[in-house]
Amino acid sequence: MREKDIRPRELLNEYLRLSEQDATTLFADGARDVVPCVACDSGNVLPAFEKNGFGYSRCSDCGTLFQTPRPQLAVFEQFYVNSESSDFWAKTFFPQVAEARRTAVFAPRAAELAKMLKDRGFGPRTVVDVGAGHGMFLSELVGRLEGASGIAVEPSSEMIESCRKLGFEVREALAEDVKDLDGRGDLVCSLEVMEHVHNPLRFISNLAAFTAPGGWVFFTTLGADGFDITVLGEHANAVFPPHHLNFMSVEGFDILCRRAGLTDVEVLTPGKLDVDIVRNKLSELPELLDSQPFIKALLNDDTTAAAFQQFLAQNRLSSHTWVLARKPA
């Protein structure tokens, strides 16, 4: 898999352009609050960089990278209603890559998660997907779990209609506004949502609340320890406010889950695109790694680069992160 397979460059560049425009037009005014580390709650943080008028800091205790000072929640709620970039993603970007993502992302991910659960002797009957989108992942996963049914939580009326047509029970709302799913899910999933949320502890606590005692929480997101984010910093396309705010470290994910009352936390980084992402950025900014000739040499050879990507995935150094954690019985 290559980055262009799921994020064609023309679509990605337009999405990033609109995101930068939204950052300027929708966040020009309003108070911003200095927040402690979104993973471990430490105030021991240092400024890392600024992008699109949004500051990012890194926690000196757990290594988490996060956006601060942070606009208040009400501003973000208006942003998602009026955002041209969000509209472009839902109506133009995603529909053009939907089937490619089903094949390259959702189906393999569902198969691997089903295997992980089987290896643990766990067969969920009810799966809750928070931020379910069009329901592609939920459909792929439920189809691999014998006797399972799905509940889709999604605030977009257009996307939730797709979930409804797939036969899922639905909640057209943000997770924070759902009041009737506590303890319903044997397995509660959330894909690529954590990096967006205003308050990660509140969000993971909601996932835990939806989970039945003895059940599991599974989420995927972007991690601060990943090669592409570490090397590219503010030049990383993954870091694009006002959409992506939170990049926990491996240690930070563990701490955050335990703060929400979860146990048996397992953090994996099975990413496949870090090297390709850095290579693509170097094609745009050839001078970016002039001070790091070793990394440039590492990426120049296809065989070495492929082996290096495998090394990153195996050693929890890819930015694509999976977290599986258990709610105590």
Side-chain angles (χ1 to χ4, degrees), residues 234-257:
E234 66 267 34
H235 299 290
N237 288 341
V239 181
F240 65 103
H243 288 281
H244 286 183
L245 309 174
N246 314 300
F247 304 86
M248 266 71 79
S249 64
V250 169
E251 180 182 0
F253 285 118
D254 183 79
I255 293 171
L256 180 67
C257 288

Side-chain angles (χ1 to χ4, degrees), residues 35-37 40-47 57-64 66:
V35 298
C37 175
C40 73
D41 203 37
S42 171
N44 186 20
V45 303
L46 293 172
S57 293
R58 189 175 291 273
C59 178
S60 299
D61 290 338
C62 77
T64 288
F66 63 102

Side-chain angles (χ1 to χ4, degrees), residues 178-232:
V178 175
K179 306 301 181 185
D180 64 343
L181 288 183
D182 284 5
R184 285 284 306 277
D186 303 307
L187 173 67
V188 176
C189 302
S190 182
L191 273 62
E192 276 74 68
V193 176
M194 180 65 78
E195 61 268 32
H196 296 265
V197 301
H198 193 265
N199 186 327
L201 178 60
R202 183 182 178 191
F203 181 73
I204 193 70
S205 296
N206 280 322
L207 300 188
F210 296 161
T211 309
W216 291 84
V217 171
F218 172 77
F219 64 91
T220 67
T221 184
L222 295 165
D225 298 321
F227 174 69
D228 59 314
I229 291 174
T230 300
V231 169
L232 298 177

Side-chain angles (χ1 to χ4, degrees), residues 44-283:
N44 186 20
V45 303
L46 293 172
F49 51 78
E50 184 175 300
K51 189 169 185 178
N52 298 349
F54 286 72
Y56 286 79
S57 293
R58 189 175 291 273
C59 178
S60 299
D61 290 338
C62 77
T64 288
L65 177 71
F66 63 102
Q67 193 280 311
T68 186
R70 185 163 295 198
Q72 295 180 350
L73 178 60
V75 182
F76 277 101
E77 290 174 340
Q78 286 302 306
F79 157 64
Y80 281 112
V81 171
N82 301 309
S83 163
E84 289 192 34
S85 55
S86 296
D87 190 65
F88 177 78
W89 170 264
K91 295 180 179 178
T92 303
F93 196 140
F94 186 82
Q96 291 191 40
V97 299
E99 287 308 315
R101 284 178 174 249
R102 180 193 294 275
T103 301
V105 178
F106 298 131
R109 193 173 297 179
E112 181 60 27
L113 177 56
K115 180 180 181 300
M116 291 169 67
L117 296 171
K118 184 177 180 180
D119 290 345
R120 288 164 172 76
F122 187 71
R125 293 289 181 172
T126 303
V127 180
V128 179
D129 190 2
V130 177
H134 291 279
M136 283 190 174
F137 174 73
L138 185 58
S139 177
E140 293 288 341
L141 180 60
V142 167
R144 290 169 168 81
L145 300 172
E146 185 176 353
S149 62
I151 302 173
V153 179
E154 170 57 52
S156 164
S157 57
E158 182 177 336
M159 293 182 182
I160 203 67
E161 185 59 28
S162 298
C163 296
R164 189 176 283 112
K165 288 178 179 177
L166 289 170
F168 296 126
E169 184 179 338
V170 302
R171 300 292 186 278
E172 186 179 335
L174 293 168
E176 294 85 346
D177 298 324
V178 175
K179 306 301 181 185
D180 64 343
L181 288 183
D182 284 5
R184 285 284 306 277
D186 303 307
L187 173 67
V188 176
C189 302
S190 182
L191 273 62
E192 276 74 68
V193 176
M194 180 65 78
E195 61 268 32
H196 296 265
V197 301
H198 193 265
N199 186 327
L201 178 60
R202 183 182 178 191
F203 181 73
I204 193 70
S205 296
N206 280 322
L207 300 188
F210 296 161
T211 309
W216 291 84
V217 171
F218 172 77
F219 64 91
T220 67
T221 184
L222 295 165
D225 298 321
F227 174 69
D228 59 314
I229 291 174
T230 300
V231 169
L232 298 177
E234 66 267 34
H235 299 290
N237 288 341
V239 181
F240 65 103
H243 288 281
H244 286 183
L245 309 174
N246 314 300
F247 304 86
M248 266 71 79
S249 64
V250 169
E251 180 182 0
F253 285 118
D254 183 79
I255 293 171
L256 180 67
C257 288
R258 294 184 188 282
R259 288 177 69 201
L262 300 172
T263 63
D264 303 316
V265 182
E266 184 174 359
V267 182
L268 306 170
T269 69
K272 299 179 179 180
L273 294 178
D274 303 71
V275 167
D276 194 47
I277 288 169
V278 175
R279 279 176 152 182
N280 290 340
K281 184 56 66 172
L282 285 177
S283 72

